[in-house]
Amino acid sequence: MTIWIVSDGKRGHLNQTQGLARELISEARRRQPEDNHEYFVVSVEGKSRAARLFYLGKELDLPTPDLILGAGHGTHIPLLHMARHYKALGIVCMKPSLPATMFDLCLIPRHDLIGKQQTGSSILPTVGALHGIKPSPETPKKHTLILIGGPSKEFDWDEDTLINQLADITRHNDIPLVLTTSRRTPQNFVLDLRQACPGIRIVPVEETDAAWVPAHLAAARDIWVSQDSVSMVYESLGSGAPVGILDMPPRSKTPSRVAQGLRMLIEENRVTPYRTWARSHRLSTTHAPLLEAERIASCILDRYPALLHHRQP
């Protein structure tokens, strides 16, 4: 099985497709260990809209794909064009900007399907965004990890309230705390937090690379994520560590789909909101790690067993 990943260069999108590709290969090797299965990243980053329309990646001299994955609106057209040209399956992560029926399969987070039809041959609901994070029991758990986002379409920013929550967590924590920011975090937050909570080691996002968050998730005893950082919530749940949610003010009185997805996680006792933690100073530990990429990979190979058959020349 040969997989191509169409990438728009955004780290969050690539995390989803690479996480799924690795699980597809792992499951394929379990089912057919004698065969060679591999994936390749085909970038359309920096290409004009017109160039993406007809891009086939031929100059890369890669094996012909059996399956093409993409995430992000900028990958949809080239993914469809490649899939038709190479007679490969075209699968998109997240809700597409084009009709779902144009793709062989759309892996859509369940919160994006609230109030809409959730069945159909081209839609497979997922619990949040896919990722490649898995538990690392052999890694010593030596810190509490804090992941901070920033203002978003769904959530506003209240620095004073956020710092008060972090100060409270610091007072009730018995191991080192490590915090990183995101590209949405307001610039003055780091300086203000260092003055208010000097016990937290802060590593701004500019000082991290693609391996920083996975490595620190693996070493985390517990994790706190600001409410707006929805993709990081699901990645944290994959680590197996207890996850707390830092409150952020919603922009609307009507809950957004992201907020409803978080509410589902709270109701399922998968995560603990700060206000609940504040009553007991404990995070929920009742759920197994959330490994959606693993589940979805198995579903895809069950649905399309021909992926594991050798192509005819």
Side-chain angles (χ1 to χ4, degrees), residues 146-159 162 179-190 205 225-233 246-251 258 262:
I146 305 170
L147 305 169
I148 301 296
S152 67
K153 291 187 297 184
E154 292 85 8
F155 295 97
D156 221 326
W157 179 259
D158 183 342
E159 180 176 297
L162 181 58
L179 179 148
T180 191
T181 57
S182 79
R183 304 198 184 281
R184 290 184 288 108
T185 307
Q187 291 186 349
N188 62 329
F189 172 73
V190 169
V205 64
V225 188
S226 62
Q227 196 169 4
D228 61 284
S229 301
V230 62
S231 62
M232 292 309 308
V233 170
L246 296 163
D247 291 337
M248 301 285 279
R251 286 191 180 271
V258 169
L262 284 172

Side-chain angles (χ1 to χ4, degrees), residues 24 149 212 224 226 258:
L24 281 163
W212 194 95
W224 285 92
S226 62
V258 169

